[in-house]
Structure formats: C-alpha cells, structure tokens
Amino acid sequence: MALVNTKEMFKKAYEGGYAIGAFNVNNMEIVQGITEAAKEVNAPLILQVSAGARKYANHTYLMKLIEAAIIETGLPIAVHLDHGDTFELCKSCIDGGFTSVMIDGSHHSFEDNIALTKKVVEYAHERGVVVEGELGRLAGIEDDVNVSDADAAFTDPAQVEEFVTKTGVDSLAIAIGTSHGAYKFKPGQNPKLRFDILEKIEQRLPNFPIVLHGASSVIPEFVEMINNNGGKMPDAIGIPEDMLRKAASMAVCKINIDSDLRLAMTGSIRKYFAENPSHFDPRQYLSPARAAIKELVKNKIVNVLGCNGKA
Ligand code: G3H
Ligand code: 13P
Ligand code: ZN
C-alpha cells in the first residue's frame, strides 16, 4: 500500500455513514501511536501536518515517518496539509509528496477565497492531489493565528454551491460551532452545534464530503491527569462525542483531532514524572505517552468515527 489521496476514502465514508479521523502529527511517537491504533482496528487514516508541525519537525522527517508507518501497517494513509494559508505553502507540500492539501482562505473575502482556492486546485489536480477548502471561520488558535469568538462566523449555506463549483475543491471545511483548541465552550455553557446548517449544506451539495475542524472532545480524564500532576488548566470543554457521531453519520467525512492528542500525551508525561521524579530517559516517559495516544485513537475510531474495519 502506498500513500493514497482521500477520494476513495471519502466516497466510502459518505456512503457508509462514517467519518475518517484526521489526526495531527508532530513527531515519531505521535505517528506511531496513531498508526498502531489504526492497524489494530483496520481503519483508513489521514495524517495531517500543519505549517507549525512542518517548522518543528521538518517536511522530510515527517514524510519519512509516515512512509515508515505505511510499511509497518499496510494501511491506506493520506498525508494532508492542515490549514495551508498560501499558494506557495500548498505547492511546496504538493511538490514534496503530500496527497492532500487544505487551502484555508477563510480569512479572506468570499471572492478572494475563491480565487486563491481555485489556483491551488488547478495546481493540485494536475498532480493527482486533492484539495480541502474552507467557508466560514472557526474560533480558536491555529499556529500564531488567534481567531476571537467575535470574529468567528458560521458557514452560510447559500454560498457553498458557488464556492465548490467555482473552485473545484474536493471537500469543504465548514463552521457550525466547533473551534480549535481545548477551550471550546465556556464553563456552564451547553455545547451546541448548528446541525441545521449542516443539513442545509448537505441538501445543496449532495454526495459531497464535508470536513469538521476543531472536533476534539477534550476528554476530562486527560485534563484531570494534567491538573492532578502539577498542571493548571482552566475548565476545558470540548465537543461531546454523540455530536461527532451524529456529524459522521451525516455528510461529514473527515473529523480533525489534535488537542485530544496533545492532552493525552501531556497528561501521561506529567503523570509519569509525578510518579518517577528522578527518571530522565526519554524512552521511559515517551512510551506511556505513545500508549495513551494509541488508546485514545482506537477509542475515537471505534466509538466515534465508525471507520474501524474500513481500510
Ligand atoms: O488547527 C490547528 C491544529 O491543531 C494545528 O495546530 O498549528 O499549532 O500545529 P498548530
Ligand atoms: P482540535 O483543536 O479540536 O483538536 O482541532 C484540530 C483541528 O481542527 C486541526 O485542523
Ligand atoms: Zn483546523
């Protein structure tokens, strides 16, 4: 099995009423934890790389880690650029072997978003690479961009057909109330997603794969593990799993998860050091961190995404 793009994955996911997990990767232990989990439950995977991950770990290292994971697991894996913000960044990832890129033009005007996205699509499609566009704006933090709640905007269903037709994108990320990071809802607030908007988009774009960003559930077990072992996180509330299951049964074919991986990894490392304050061999504290990621991803695949057995 080689690297694949997401065309076939999304077609099957749409028809089967499940979603593919798109997990952010930044180092070897994260790649291993995710891919070992997917192998155990025979799930297709999207491994996504942000500009920050590429800066941290280097494009070639990440590509080679993902290639190693394909050799070890034999799974269909797509490698995707998360939140590409310029044509040049998308081009560099396409030229460097990514099979899928996101061009996030959501901070531009509708017209400029279309023009930028179309340019990326033309370059990508000539090379067999698929493109995710975005309409609407999520709150939260990606790399150095911090979008406040006031600047966030739900996707307007009236714009989706024009955007998809004019750009030729293969999938569309939408804003229906999810947000990036660990603080998605305020304490006391009831988590709510605008499924009415998703339904309208689904009606206007039949058989078209929709992407949900900012979809970590912020699992309390890991937040507590951080706070019980010297950490100090404020109340963190994520997207309830039943809402993600509902989205996956609808047109949502790709669900993005990063914060949950970070919390699992950091929680287990903090716990390890609280219990073993004199240890200093990185293999000792990275092994439980990798195992925590594996367990988390297996649970996501089987209990939330429903893509187990679909590789
Ligand atoms: O949506 C953002 C992802 O969680 C990636 O985060 O840009 O800090 O790598 P990052
Ligand atoms: P979370 O912060 O909810 O994990 O979202 C990740 C994401 O959308 C990556 O693009
Ligand atoms: Zn995102």
Side-chain angles (χ1 to χ4, degrees):
M1 181 62 71
L3 273 177
V4 295
N5 70 29
T6 54
K7 259 207 169 341
E8 197 57 28
M9 280 185 198
F10 286 169
K11 187 173 179 293
K12 288 192 198 159
Y14 198 102
E15 286 163 3
Y18 60 88
I20 315 290
F23 299 97
N24 287 69
V25 295
N26 290 280
N27 69 12
M28 184 186 77
E29 284 75 13
I30 297 175
V31 171
Q32 288 176 331
I34 297 166
T35 55
E36 285 170 16
K39 184 178 179 175
E40 276 190 21
V41 293
N42 197 32
L45 264 182
I46 300 168
L47 296 180
Q48 53 188 14
V49 173
S50 69
R54 216 161 159 255
K55 216 186 291 172
Y56 170 76
N58 169 299
H59 181 97
T60 312
Y61 278 96
L62 290 171
M63 274 311 277
K64 295 297 168 192
L65 286 171
I66 294 168
E67 283 169 24
I70 290 169
I71 294 169
E72 289 296 320
T73 63
L75 290 173
I77 298 181
V79 57
H80 172 80
L81 168 65
D82 191 26
H83 293 284
D85 59 348
T86 60
F87 172 78
E88 289 70 28
L89 174 58
C90 293
K91 178 180 182 301
S92 166
C93 289
I94 294 165
D95 294 347
F98 281 27
T99 57
S100 172
V101 293
M102 173 189 196
I103 176 68
D104 181 354
S106 61
H107 306 287
H108 297 290
S109 69
F110 183 62
E111 291 71 26
D112 290 352
N113 188 359
I114 289 179
L116 175 62
T117 305
K118 186 169 186 280
K119 188 174 170 190
V120 173
V121 168
E122 281 166 3
Y123 190 82
H125 282 184
E126 278 169 17
R127 292 157 181 84
V129 172
V130 291
V131 179
E132 174 186 323
E134 178 165 334
L135 260 188
R137 215 172 304 130
L138 269 67
I141 301 169
E142 310 144 14
D143 273 335
D144 302 326
V145 185
N146 188 349
V147 181
S148 70
D149 286 350
D151 286 335
F154 293 125
T155 305
D156 178 359
Q159 292 186 323
V160 296
E161 283 156 292
E162 186 182 348
F163 184 81
V164 167
T165 314
K166 287 192 171 162
T167 59
V169 279
D170 303 278
S171 61
L172 182 68
I174 58 164
I176 56 167
T178 61
S179 59
H180 289 111
Y183 308 103
K184 298 182 192 301
F185 298 101
K186 302 204 167 40
Q189 204 180 6
N190 236 353
K192 190 172 178 293
L193 295 187
R194 293 288 305 271
F195 284 105
D196 58 320
I197 294 180
L198 176 56
E199 263 166 32
K200 287 195 183 107
I201 292 171
E202 206 171 80
Q203 282 159 13
R204 286 165 189 260
L205 294 176
N207 293 314
F208 192 82
I210 299 300
V211 178
L212 206 58
H213 281 248
S216 280
S217 292
V218 189
I219 296 162
E221 177 195 337
F222 294 117
V223 177
E224 278 162 30
M225 207 184 273
I226 291 173
N227 286 340
N228 292 340
N229 292 290
K232 211 170 177 198
M233 285 183 64
D235 284 345
I237 303 168
I239 311 296
E241 290 187 342
D242 60 331
M243 292 187 190
L244 297 174
R245 276 191 286 270
K246 181 171 172 183
S249 74
M250 298 170 69
V252 170
C253 294
K254 173 174 179 274
I255 293 192
N256 284 12
I257 295 163
D258 188 6
S259 297
D260 278 339
L261 301 170
R262 297 176 179 195
L263 292 167
M265 189 161 202
T266 304
S268 74
I269 291 173
R270 276 196 176 276
K271 181 166 181 280
Y272 184 86
F273 279 120
E275 289 166 0
N276 304 280
S278 64
H279 286 190
F280 57 87
D281 179 343
R283 292 171 299 187
Q284 290 178 321
Y285 58 85
L286 290 174
S287 295
R290 180 173 55 192
I293 285 182
K294 181 174 173 183
E295 201 49 36
L296 168 84
V297 170
K298 224 184 336 172
N299 277 332
K300 293 272 179 200
I301 290 172
V302 174
N303 298 324
V304 181
L305 302 161
C307 59
N308 45 310
K310 310 292 187 188

